[in-house]
Amino acid sequence: MNNIINKKVRFINLGLIDYQNGWDFQEKLFAEIIDLKVKNRNIEPENQFSTHNYLLFCQHPHVYTLGKSGKMENLLLDEESLSAKEAKFYKINRGGDITYHGPGQLVGYPILDLENFFTDIHKYMRFLEEGIIRTLADYGIDAGRIDGLTGVWLDYKEQKNPRKICAMGVKSSRWVTMHGFALNVNTDLNYFSNIVPCGIDDKAVTSLALELGRLIEVEEVAEKLKRHLGELFEMEFEVSPERELAEI
C-alpha cells in the first residue's frame, strides 16, 4: 500500500475530444502515476510522494474500439463503410470486446491509483456500475447488473427485454486504472447496428433519452454521476492545474 494515502481527485471535463487525443492524454497520466510509484520504491517512506488521481469526462466523435479480447468479426463495417459514416476504428489495450462512442454519450475515464482507495478490481468495477445505477435512479430508471455480463442494464431482473445502457472496459497495472465506461445519454443508437456490441448478439442497447422519451443535457447527467462516484469512492475533487490542461 501507499505510505501516503491521497483521495484527492483531479476532475477534468474534456468536452468533445478526438478519441486518439483522449487516449494519448490518458496514457500520459497513467504512465506518470506508475513512474512515480516505481520511484517511491527506492525512497525512504517518510520522503515518498503521494500519487495523483484523475477523473476525466468527455464525449467522442463517432468511433469504434476493440478491446484485447475482442473479435474483428464483431465490427460489421469495412474501411470504406467506416469512412462513409465518418467513424474511426481503434484496437486498444482495455479489457472487453467492441463498443461504440459518439456524441451524446458520456464517457468516463477514471485514472486512479487504487492503493489510495482499495486494492480490489472487482470492487472497483462494481463501484463504477453503482455510480451509473444511482445516476439513472435520479431519473426514475431502475437499472442493475446481469450475472456474467459487465456494464449496466435495464430489465435486468426478469430479462424479457434486457438492454444495455452503459458499457465498461478497464485496464489496470500496479493498481493504476485507465479506460472506463460509456453511458448512453442522447446517443444515436443506429451506430450500434454496425457492430455486435461487446460481442453480445442477443441483447439490445438503449439510451437515457430513448427510455425517457426526451433529450437530456449530458452535462446535467455528468454532474450527477460525478457526485455519486465521489460519494462511493470518498473522493475529494480538486481543479486540475493549467499545465495539465494545456498538454491535452
Side-chain angles (χ1 to χ4, degrees):
M1 291 293 292
N2 292 347
N3 286 294
I4 303 175
I5 300 300
N6 176 31
K7 289 183 176 291
K8 293 181 179 179
V9 177
R10 298 178 181 181
F11 174 75
I12 307 174
N13 190 333
L14 298 172
L16 183 67
I17 184 173
D18 177 78
Y19 186 83
Q20 184 68 61
N21 291 343
W23 187 5
D24 290 345
F25 187 53
Q26 278 193 84
E27 290 275 16
K28 172 183 173 295
L29 300 180
F30 181 79
E32 285 179 355
I33 297 171
I34 289 180
D35 287 348
L36 184 55
K37 294 187 74 165
V38 171
K39 182 178 180 180
N40 277 341
R41 284 183 170 184
N42 301 313
I43 300 175
E44 292 298 322
E46 63 272 15
N47 295 322
Q48 290 182 4
F49 301 92
S50 62
T51 53
H52 295 149
N53 308 288
Y54 299 86
L55 178 60
L56 313 180
F57 278 179
C58 66
Q59 298 180 57
H60 292 304
H62 303 298
V63 63
Y64 297 101
T65 68
L66 184 70
K68 291 185 295 184
S69 58
K71 299 178 180 178
M72 274 301 301
E73 54 262 37
N74 289 330
L75 175 64
L76 308 178
L77 298 172
D78 57 22
E79 285 190 24
E80 185 177 344
S81 300
L82 279 168
S83 178
K85 293 183 177 294
E86 298 182 339
K88 295 182 179 180
F89 171 73
Y90 295 98
K91 291 183 179 180
I92 59 175
N93 58 358
R94 61 161 170 79
D97 205 288
I98 196 165
T99 194
Y100 160 77
H101 300 307
Q105 183 187 72
L106 176 59
V107 178
Y109 297 129
I111 305 175
L112 308 177
D113 180 0
L114 290 182
E115 287 194 295
N116 288 321
F117 302 93
F118 48 76
T119 50
D120 185 331
I121 291 294
H122 178 80
K123 181 177 179 179
Y124 171 68
M125 296 290 284
R126 301 297 81 79
F127 270 26
L128 293 184
E129 291 169 349
E130 185 63 25
I132 301 292
I133 290 168
R134 293 184 184 186
T135 300
L136 294 171
D138 289 340
Y139 291 93
I141 293 179
D142 181 25
R145 305 171 181 86
I146 294 179
D147 287 345
L149 300 175
T150 58
V152 177
W153 299 78
L154 275 56
D155 189 20
Y156 62 98
K157 296 175 182 175
E158 296 184 359
Q159 297 185 35
K160 293 180 179 179
N161 179 30
R163 48 211 186 274
K164 178 178 279 191
I165 196 167
C166 181
M168 292 175 56
V170 305
K171 173 188 174 181
S172 68
S173 177
R174 299 180 187 269
W175 295 114
V176 182
T177 67
M178 66 176 289
H179 298 298
F181 56 84
L183 173 62
N184 296 327
V185 181
N186 302 319
T187 316
D188 182 350
L189 300 177
N190 289 318
Y191 276 82
F192 284 99
S193 65
N194 303 313
I195 60 173
V196 180
C198 301
I200 302 169
D201 60 6
D202 62 345
K203 292 179 174 62
V205 293
T206 190
S207 68
L208 192 56
L210 179 62
E211 297 297 326
L212 296 179
R214 60 186 175 88
L215 296 178
I216 307 294
E217 287 288 337
V218 175
E219 295 306 317
E220 175 186 298
V221 178
E223 191 57 37
K224 294 178 185 295
L225 180 52
K226 175 187 172 186
R227 175 170 55 83
H228 288 305
L229 290 175
E231 291 171 352
L232 286 163
F233 285 88
E234 298 180 348
M235 296 172 170
E236 302 169 17
F237 288 113
E238 61 180 7
V239 177
S240 191
E242 291 297 324
R243 175 188 63 82
E244 287 164 354
L245 297 178
E247 293 174 357
I248 301 173

